[in-house]
Amino acid sequence: MLPRILSMTLHVAIVMVVIAIPLLTVTNTLPEAPSIVAFVTDGAPPPPPPPPPPPPAPRAVSKPTTAQATPSVNPSAAPLEAPADIRPEQQVASTASASTGVAGGVEGGVEGGMVGGIVGGMVGVVTPPPPPPAQTPVRIGGQIKAPALLHRVEPVYPDIAAAAHLTGLVILEAVVDATGCVESVKVLRSGHPLLDREAVAALKQWRYTPLTLNGTSTPFVLTVTFNFNVAR
């Protein structure tokens, strides 16, 4: 019991000492504020801070790439550029002949025949040659002289035209074929329908010797004039 009382008394004394010491040091004067000390230097001002970094560049939006169609190359087409070397041509087999032909061919067939032909070939059949191109008539004049006239027929002067005293010139253009016969007639200058009809009918009966140019009979064109006049 005694040690406890001593311990409590000692604790109380320590607390009082701790509280009393600050109270004894308290004064009524305020502490002096420290004076402001400024340091002035004669050197250059400090450099400004570095600028901020630039903003990041926007990301490029990638466009979808469209697949380009590769043009088909025809193996039989002529090349655009000259080849470096000469190569033998490749034989392209026909699909139709390979599918419908007979291996080894048919006895009696014709080389280069067509698919679906007659078995044994067509013996003795000869393809006729193409017809010769139509010749263009040449016009008589200059160095080309008119061939000799073999048969000439004069036009008939109609009685009604003579009674009406119809006169005038009728100029006709005749196309003569390669044999010398008049093929067609065209009126270039008309005197009167009655006179034109008789002049055309007479000219269609004319006959010439064939015109030969470079060893070939050639049709030609010439102009014929008829003068209708009432005989007094």
Side-chain angles (χ1 to χ4, degrees):
M1 189 68 181
L2 181 60
R4 182 178 295 179
I5 295 174
L6 292 176
S7 177
M8 293 179 61
T9 304
L10 182 60
H11 283 80
V12 172
I14 293 173
V15 171
M16 291 180 66
V17 171
V18 172
I19 295 174
I21 290 175
L23 293 176
L24 294 176
T25 59
V26 173
T27 59
N28 294 329
T29 60
L30 297 175
E32 295 182 0
S35 59
I36 300 174
V37 180
F39 296 92
V40 179
T41 60
D42 296 335
R59 297 179 59 185
V61 179
S62 60
K63 298 182 179 179
T65 58
T66 58
Q68 298 181 356
T70 303
S72 60
V73 180
N74 186 4
S76 301
L80 299 178
E81 298 180 357
D85 54 353
I86 300 176
R87 300 179 181 178
E89 296 183 357
Q90 298 180 357
Q91 299 294 334
V92 180
S94 175
T95 304
S97 60
S99 59
T100 59
V102 180
V106 179
E107 184 178 358
V110 180
E111 182 180 358
M114 63 179 181
V115 177
I118 302 174
V119 178
M122 302 176 66
V123 181
V125 177
V126 180
T127 304
Q135 295 179 337
T136 303
V138 297
R139 184 171 295 275
I140 298 300
Q143 297 181 355
I144 301 177
K145 303 298 182 180
L149 180 60
L150 301 178
H151 181 68
R152 179 186 177 98
V153 177
E154 295 295 337
V156 178
Y157 200 170
D159 295 338
I160 187 173
H165 297 280
L166 294 177
T167 60
L169 295 176
V170 178
I171 302 177
L172 306 176
E173 182 182 78
V175 178
V176 184
D177 59 14
T179 62
C181 300
V182 177
E183 187 177 34
S184 62
V185 178
K186 181 174 65 174
V187 179
L188 299 180
R189 177 179 176 181
S190 174
H192 190 273
L194 293 176
L195 305 179
D196 298 343
R197 182 182 61 188
E198 297 297 331
V200 171
L203 184 56
K204 286 185 176 181
Q205 301 179 50
W206 288 19
R207 297 294 181 270
Y208 289 87
T209 57
L211 176 63
T212 303
L213 295 178
N214 298 326
T216 304
S217 298
T218 307
F220 59 93
V221 180
L222 77 164
T223 303
V224 178
T225 302
F226 292 104
N227 186 9
F228 290 88
N229 191 10
V230 179
R232 295 183 180 179

